[in-house]
Amino acid sequence: MEVAKTRTRGLRATYSRVVPGASGRVLVVDDNKVIRQLIKVNLELEGFEVVTANDGAECLDVVHRVRPDAITLDVVMPRLDGFGAAAQLRADPRTRHVPVAIVSACTQHEVEAGIAAGVDAFLAKPFEPAELVRVVRRLVERKDRRERKGAPAGRGA
């Protein structure tokens, strides 16, 4: 379990872009378009393909089409929060092993609720972009290693 604390800078709106030779596909879920864009841009600069969703409900709508290597989730979102989305991702056999990171304030309550929902890592807002990239890269690499071994990725890796 990873918990990272860092600082943030801001940007703006988003959806998806294919990056040739991408080092993994990440589904970024946050209702704040500035944060969504900040995460998207920083991950794309490091070679990730990024798809975004506005909340947990949209995440669940697109996750099967997108087939991400990792997912970042905010906690407080309309329709379906990050814990609800994480719990539903873990309950679905098709997404059960996709690594999930919570990107939020990361209070003790959020960390405990995230662990109960099956979250793999936590990144506290405000965060440093380099820390974001490190956490996501570690999750994608963990998934890749487990797939090469023939085992599913995700929790407990």
Side-chain angles (χ1 to χ4, degrees):
M1 191 66 48
E2 244 180 84
V3 180
K5 292 195 177 223
T6 55
R7 303 256 170 254
T8 298
R9 293 174 285 199
L11 288 175
R12 17 173 226 117
T14 188
Y15 205 69
S16 170
R17 188 175 126 209
V18 175
V19 178
S23 48
R25 181 177 296 144
V26 181
L27 176 55
V28 173
V29 186
D30 198 304
D31 62 319
N32 182 315
K33 65 183 180 181
V34 173
I35 298 297
R36 214 171 40 242
Q37 184 66 14
L38 172 68
I39 294 171
K40 179 179 188 283
V41 166
N42 279 284
L43 292 176
E44 285 179 344
L45 287 171
E46 294 298 322
F48 291 97
E49 177 184 349
V50 178
V51 178
T52 65
N54 296 314
D55 59 36
E58 186 179 353
C59 168
L60 297 176
D61 288 342
V62 303
V63 71
H64 300 294
R65 285 190 312 258
V66 171
R67 299 179 51 140
D69 297 305
I71 300 170
T72 68
L73 288 171
D74 184 22
V75 171
V76 180
M77 297 181 287
R79 297 195 302 164
L80 182 62
D81 70 15
F83 301 134
Q88 288 189 41
L89 289 164
R90 290 297 178 242
D92 184 334
R94 299 170 293 173
T95 57
R96 167 175 300 150
H97 302 294
V98 176
V100 174
I102 290 288
V103 180
S104 187
C106 293
T107 64
Q108 184 62 32
H109 167 74
E110 286 181 342
V111 171
E112 290 170 4
I115 290 169
V119 171
D120 298 285
F122 297 84
L123 181 64
K125 289 179 182 176
F127 57 84
E128 284 293 331
E131 187 67 13
L132 164 75
V133 170
R134 187 185 70 74
V135 168
V136 170
R137 182 169 285 129
R138 184 175 273 161
L139 291 177
V140 170
E141 288 170 354
R142 177 188 307 169
K143 180 176 184 282
D144 289 345
R145 275 193 312 273
R146 291 185 63 103
E147 285 178 350
R148 280 193 301 270
K149 291 179 182 176
R155 228 170 124 66

